[in-house]
Structures are given as structure tokens and as C-alpha cells.
Amino acid sequence: MNLVVNGDAESGPGGSAEPVTEVTGWKVPEGAPALIAYSLGNGYPGPADPGPADRGSRFFSGGDSPRTALVQDILLPTRGATGRRAVDAGRVRYTLAGWLGGYATQEDGARLSVEFRDAEGTPVALSVLGPVTAAERLSRTALLERTATATVPPGARTARVLLVFTRSGGGTSNDGYADAISLTLHTTGGRK
């Protein structure tokens, strides 16, 4: 099960290149993202461009801010196969995944991270994905899948998922793109 709410940009306002002030499931501490329809055209990623095979109708972009950030603080399960006992015994692994990209030869990009924290809020582990460079995209408009998998650190109680879009060139659009953001937990086996 994906612990990220609205990791596919499908819920709430949006659909155009116009920035929004609120995004369902996310806090927006910096900038103003846009939730753009794949059908918009005008050089934005479309249905035929590289991206998720099971994409919905929209994706995230950095809007028109030089730097835009979206964040979710997720409470990890307390019970069950991926609950606290299993985490503290080192039997729970996580996978952070997302499709990250940008526009043509521009280096605007998106970075996705997860920071696990203990009960006091102290960071205990960090995984970072992206940004995807223009060279990695073969200088075309595209979103490419990036993943990281590791053991949830013993003592972890929350996970902070952070999605940051950065404009690195000229122009007014922040053409860092992201879609299909997920954080999933699974057991490694052993005694429950």
C-alpha cells in the first residue's frame, strides 16, 4: 500500500499550468506548484512522452517559482506485519519511488526524498532520488523512474516525504516534473 496521499497529482485543484496554493494531501512550505494535465500540450509532457505506463491525467511541476517544495509527514504503522515491533527488529524494508523529469535540454529538475524520524522527531535515515538530468533524459521532455529500497531503521516512527522542484535556467517556468510518487513498506520475512 502506498503511504503517500495523492502521489499521482490526481486530486484537488489544477489541470493547467497555473500554480495552485494548496495540494490535496501535501503541505506547500515554499513556492507554488502546478498540477498539469498530460493533455495540455505547449511542450509539457504528454501521453506520448516517456513517463509512467499507468499515468493518470496529471503530473506535478514546479509552477513558476524558482524553488517549490511539497511535503508529507507520514505516521508509520503501529501494529501488524510492518508495525513498530517489526521495524525495531529490522524486518521492514521500504521502497521510495517516483517518476522524475524535466523539459528538453533544460536542467530544471525534481528531487524526491524520504527522511525517517524517531519518536522525538530526530532524523535516523535519509534516501534521495533525482534530479534527473537532461543528459539522462537524452535532452527530451520526459519523466524517468527512480527508486530506492532499504531497511526502515529501528526506532523509526514517522517518515517525511519531500518533493522539491528547482529552476536552474532562465525563463519563468519551473520545469521540474514528477508523478507516481510512492512510499511502500514490506516485510523481510522472519518471525512476526
Side-chain angles (χ1 to χ4, degrees), residues 3-67:
L3 299 178
V4 176
V5 175
N6 193 28
D8 56 8
E10 296 297 308
S11 300
S16 72
E18 292 300 314
V20 296
T21 56
E22 294 182 4
V23 178
T24 301
W26 298 84
K27 293 176 188 167
V28 184
E30 185 176 1
L35 282 62
I36 300 176
Y38 279 106
S39 61
L40 185 63
N42 298 325
Y44 289 106
D49 290 314
D54 59 347
R55 70 187 85 190
S57 64
R58 304 191 306 191
F59 61 92
F60 296 101
S61 90
D64 57 11
S65 304
R67 181 178 152 98

Side-chain angles (χ1 to χ4, degrees), residues 134-169:
E136 291 172 305
R137 292 184 277 105
L138 305 177
S139 295
R140 64 181 291 190
T141 300
L143 287 89
L144 304 179
E145 186 177 28
R146 295 292 182 258
T147 62
T149 300
T151 300
V152 176
R157 297 296 179 258
T158 62
R160 171 167 280 191
V161 174
L162 178 64
L163 184 57
V164 177
F165 303 89
T166 304
R167 182 173 67 215
S168 61

Side-chain angles (χ1 to χ4, degrees), residues 52-170:
D54 59 347
R55 70 187 85 190
S57 64
R58 304 191 306 191
F59 61 92
F60 296 101
S61 90
D64 57 11
S65 304
R67 181 178 152 98
T68 294
L70 300 173
V71 66
Q72 279 190 39
D73 288 310
I74 299 165
L75 183 63
L76 298 179
T78 57
R79 299 176 185 268
T82 58
R84 291 180 178 174
R85 274 192 182 161
V87 165
D88 293 347
R91 294 194 313 263
V92 179
R93 290 182 61 79
Y94 69 90
T95 299
L96 176 69
W99 288 76
L100 310 175
Y103 174 75
T105 59
Q106 293 182 4
E107 291 294 348
D108 295 4
R111 188 183 75 234
L112 174 65
S113 64
V114 61
E115 179 181 77
F116 290 94
R117 298 177 174 189
D118 66 15
E120 285 76 43
T122 303
V124 291
L126 175 70
S127 285
V128 180
L129 303 174
V132 172
T133 66
E136 291 172 305
R137 292 184 277 105
L138 305 177
S139 295
R140 64 181 291 190
T141 300
L143 287 89
L144 304 179
E145 186 177 28
R146 295 292 182 258
T147 62
T149 300
T151 300
V152 176
R157 297 296 179 258
T158 62
R160 171 167 280 191
V161 174
L162 178 64
L163 184 57
V164 177
F165 303 89
T166 304
R167 182 173 67 215
S168 61

